[in-house]
Amino acid sequence: MTTPDDLKFQEFDEATDLLSADPGATTLSVSNTGTPPATGDVKLDLSEDEEGQEENSELLGRDKPTGGFWTFEYYQSFFNVDTMQVLDRIKGSVMPLPGRNFVRHHIRSNPDLYGPFWICATLVFSVAISGNLSTFLSQMGNPHYHYRPQFHRVTIAAVAVFLYAWLVPLCLWGFLAWRQGTERQIGGYTFLETVCVYGYSLFVYIPTSVLWIIPFEWLQWLLILVAMVISGSLLVVTFWPVVRDDTKLTAFATMITIVVLHALLAIGCKMYFFQTAVQMPTPTLAPPSSNNTVLLTSAAKSH
């Protein structure tokens, strides 16, 4: 019959021989206390700070573009976004909230050029096509008007939109970097983040340009006002935390310049692409007078 002593763990003879050969060797016993051995030859312990640094380095290494700027992989990283991220950023651009910075809450984790590029391209075609349709609808009842597609409007819209979406952010980024000095503030934005903000701020003009087809002048100007308020609020809420630490004159002058340039783009598109053609009056032939009738009769008799 098995006794309780038989159920106890028995030490192996090899372990006994090793201990007898080297009495100073370190032993490790498994117990329920869960305390690590006091001494040991190898110790591996990563602190929380080191683990956080490793995680941050992995994230930074993943977000950094690989290769030089002349390679395709370098620019491919700027388009590494999914549909949900783009939709979330579009939603944030049309619903700007005070105190909710668009860059820090939507862009800073992964700034992209995918959304701004396609927003600008879509805006170019929507403005050009809607402008042609608006002109056609406004002159539909004029018998002396002959519709001709104006394809040059696509080129003009592309130059205006893409120059605004790239040149204005470049000038603003350079100005802010110069005002902040060589050591940029923590809240400063990179050039890619600045371009991203301006690109997404133009999304509200896409549905606005489609609604401009409705041939009512007062409605078109009302839509422009609403679109300028929405997109301008996004720019003000985003860039005000960066310039507010500057002098009051410089801060307010910078914000006014940003809003004015943004308004000029919308007003310029409205005045050029959606101008109502002036209907020329129909020429009428005046009835011949009595004197002319007598002269014509006498001339006929003489012949």
Side-chain angles (χ1 to χ4, degrees), residues 21 30 32 40 63 89 104 119 147 167 205 230 248 289 294:
V30 179
N32 295 330
D63 293 338
R89 294 173 182 185
R104 296 175 183 175
I119 288 174
Y147 173 75
L167 187 60
Y205 289 114
I230 294 175
K248 291 184 177 180
S289 60
V294 173

Side-chain angles (χ1 to χ4, degrees), residues 83-156:
T83 305
M84 296 306 298
Q85 287 180 328
V86 174
L87 292 178
D88 180 68
R89 294 173 182 185
I90 290 176
K91 180 180 177 180
S93 65
V94 297
M95 292 188 300
L97 300 176
R100 186 175 180 84
N101 191 286
F102 183 72
V103 173
R104 296 175 183 175
H105 288 83
H106 298 279
I107 294 178
R108 176 145 291 179
S109 59
N110 184 22
D112 70 290
L113 294 178
Y114 180 86
F117 173 78
W118 284 111
I119 288 174
C120 293
T122 306
L123 180 61
V124 167
F125 286 99
S126 65
V127 168
I129 296 174
S130 300
N132 285 329
L133 290 177
S134 177
T135 304
F136 173 75
L137 293 177
S138 62
Q139 297 297 326
M140 186 182 301
N142 187 2
H144 300 280
Y145 175 76
H146 301 283
Y147 173 75
R148 294 179 181 178
Q150 300 178 357
F151 296 103
H152 67 279
R153 289 186 174 185
V154 179
T155 304
I156 297 175

Side-chain angles (χ1 to χ4, degrees), residues 48 83 122-123 169 192 210 213 288:
E48 295 179 357
T83 305
T122 306
L123 180 61
L192 183 59
V210 175
I213 299 177

Side-chain angles (χ1 to χ4, degrees), residues 8-301:
K8 294 181 179 179
F9 291 100
Q10 303 295 329
E11 295 183 356
F12 296 96
D13 295 338
E14 291 82 355
T16 305
D17 296 339
L18 291 174
L19 290 175
S20 61
D22 188 6
T26 303
T27 60
L28 178 62
S29 61
V30 179
S31 62
N32 295 330
T33 57
T35 58
T39 58
D41 296 335
V42 180
K43 182 179 180 181
L44 181 61
D45 184 15
L46 292 177
S47 62
E48 295 179 357
D49 295 336
E50 292 176 347
E51 292 177 355
Q53 291 177 0
E54 287 187 357
E55 292 177 358
N56 293 334
S57 62
E58 291 178 359
L59 292 174
L60 292 176
R62 182 182 60 187
D63 293 338
K64 286 182 179 179
T66 58
F69 67 92
W70 60 87
T71 61
F72 179 76
E73 290 78 8
Y74 180 84
Y75 299 96
Q76 187 179 10
S77 62
F78 300 146
F79 294 82
N80 187 19
V81 290
D82 54 18
T83 305
M84 296 306 298
Q85 287 180 328
V86 174
L87 292 178
D88 180 68
R89 294 173 182 185
I90 290 176
K91 180 180 177 180
S93 65
V94 297
M95 292 188 300
L97 300 176
R100 186 175 180 84
N101 191 286
F102 183 72
V103 173
R104 296 175 183 175
H105 288 83
H106 298 279
I107 294 178
R108 176 145 291 179
S109 59
N110 184 22
D112 70 290
L113 294 178
Y114 180 86
F117 173 78
W118 284 111
I119 288 174
C120 293
T122 306
L123 180 61
V124 167
F125 286 99
S126 65
V127 168
I129 296 174
S130 300
N132 285 329
L133 290 177
S134 177
T135 304
F136 173 75
L137 293 177
S138 62
Q139 297 297 326
M140 186 182 301
N142 187 2
H144 300 280
Y145 175 76
H146 301 283
Y147 173 75
R148 294 179 181 178
Q150 300 178 357
F151 296 103
H152 67 279
R153 289 186 174 185
V154 179
T155 304
I156 297 175
V159 172
V161 172
F162 279 96
L163 277 182
Y164 173 81
W166 283 93
L167 187 60
V168 174
L170 177 62
C171 296
L172 178 61
W173 172 78
F175 175 76
L176 294 179
W178 170 67
R179 292 297 300 178
Q180 293 173 357
T182 55
E183 296 182 357
R184 301 194 64 186
Q185 299 178 357
I186 299 177
Y189 303 143
T190 62
F191 173 66
L192 183 59
E193 292 173 346
T194 306
V195 173
C196 197
V197 173
Y198 267 84
Y200 281 101
S201 68
L202 295 176
F203 175 81
V204 69
Y205 289 114
I206 296 177
T208 303
S209 62
V210 175
L211 294 176
W212 281 344
I213 299 177
I214 303 174
F216 293 105
E217 193 74 11
W218 64 270
L219 181 59
Q220 293 177 352
W221 285 109
L222 179 62
L223 292 172
I224 287 179
L225 181 61
V226 174
M228 287 192 302
V229 170
I230 294 175
S231 57
S233 300
L234 175 66
L235 297 178
V236 171
V237 172
T238 302
F239 291 104
W240 174 249
V242 182
V243 302
R244 64 184 176 186
D245 294 333
D246 208 330
T247 60
K248 291 184 177 180
L249 179 61
T250 304
F252 284 103
T254 303
M255 299 310 302
I256 291 175
T257 304
I258 291 174
V259 175
V260 168
L261 291 177
H262 202 66
L264 287 178
L265 177 67
I267 296 176
C269 291
K270 166 64 178 65
M271 298 297 295
Y272 181 81
F273 295 99
F274 296 88
Q275 57 182 348
T276 304
V278 179
Q279 296 185 1
M280 299 299 295
T282 304
T284 56
L285 297 176
S289 60
S290 59
N291 295 331
N292 294 334
T293 304
V294 173
L295 291 175
L296 291 174
T297 304
S298 59
K301 289 181 179 181

